[in-house]
Amino acid sequence: MKNIVIILSVFVTLVSCNQNNKNEVEQAKQMAIDSMKNQSALIEAKQKAIDSMKVVAAKQASIDSLNAANAAASAKSTSSTNKVAASEGSSTKSSSTTPVAKKKKMSGAVKGALIGGGVGAVSGAIISRNNKPLKGALIGGAIGAGLGAGTGAIIDAKNKKKE
């Protein structure tokens, strides 16, 4: 009788453990499927953002071309008005120049800080992945940003001396 109870308890334990493993596998599969759905939704959101930026850029290009056309038209009308005024003996002159705004370049210190911060954050997260990767990423990012900003400032100073 004792042997039958032991065999029965071992059998029940094995069956229940096997069902738990199947449930865990099913849960893992479902989590993977959900993760893939979330990833595809994220990709779609990124693509929508990119598309909206393209639309904004196209709108800005249209606005710029209209402004340029208006400036050219006003310069043309100003020029014809000046010709008429000059032929009548008037000495009024009008000049219409549109200033072209130059795009500011990012300084070497800012570039260095961004690159160093990114590299430091990734390195810090990888180095402390077993303990606290977020803390490692923050510390590594801060150190990397500081070193990168310093290096970028040094490079900027050398480039200014050359010029």
Side-chain angles (χ1 to χ4, degrees), residues 45-115:
K46 285 181 181 178
Q47 188 60 43
K48 286 181 182 178
I50 291 170
D51 292 343
S52 69
M53 287 190 292
K54 287 180 182 177
V55 169
V56 169
K59 285 181 182 178
Q60 186 61 41
S62 297
I63 290 170
D64 291 344
S65 66
L66 286 174
N67 288 340
N70 286 339
S74 69
K76 191 174 187 179
S77 69
T78 303
S79 140
S80 64
T81 303
N82 286 344
K83 286 179 184 176
V84 170
S87 67
E88 293 174 357
S90 175
S91 64
T92 59
K93 288 189 178 180
S94 172
S95 65
S96 172
T97 59
T98 57
V100 178
K102 287 189 177 181
K103 202 173 187 180
K104 285 188 174 180
K105 291 185 178 181
M106 199 181 314
S107 71
V110 174
K111 285 181 190 176
L114 290 174
I115 294 169

Side-chain angles (χ1 to χ4, degrees), residues 13-163:
T13 305
L14 289 175
V15 169
S16 66
C17 288
N18 192 17
Q19 287 177 351
N20 285 342
N21 287 338
K22 287 181 183 177
N23 289 339
E24 289 174 2
V25 168
E26 289 300 319
Q27 287 176 348
K29 285 180 183 177
Q30 188 60 38
M31 286 174 51
I33 291 169
D34 293 343
S35 168
M36 287 181 213
K37 287 179 183 176
N38 289 340
Q39 187 70 17
S40 66
L42 181 63
I43 290 171
E44 289 175 15
K46 285 181 181 178
Q47 188 60 43
K48 286 181 182 178
I50 291 170
D51 292 343
S52 69
M53 287 190 292
K54 287 180 182 177
V55 169
V56 169
K59 285 181 182 178
Q60 186 61 41
S62 297
I63 290 170
D64 291 344
S65 66
L66 286 174
N67 288 340
N70 286 339
S74 69
K76 191 174 187 179
S77 69
T78 303
S79 140
S80 64
T81 303
N82 286 344
K83 286 179 184 176
V84 170
S87 67
E88 293 174 357
S90 175
S91 64
T92 59
K93 288 189 178 180
S94 172
S95 65
S96 172
T97 59
T98 57
V100 178
K102 287 189 177 181
K103 202 173 187 180
K104 285 188 174 180
K105 291 185 178 181
M106 199 181 314
S107 71
V110 174
K111 285 181 190 176
L114 290 174
I115 294 169
V119 171
V122 171
S123 300
I126 290 172
I127 290 171
S128 66
R129 69 176 174 258
N130 293 332
N131 299 334
K132 296 181 181 179
L134 180 62
K135 184 178 178 182
L138 290 173
I139 292 170
I143 292 170
L147 291 174
T151 304
I154 291 170
I155 292 172
D156 276 347
K158 285 184 182 179
N159 288 340
K160 283 184 182 179
K161 285 182 181 178
K162 285 181 181 178
E163 292 174 0

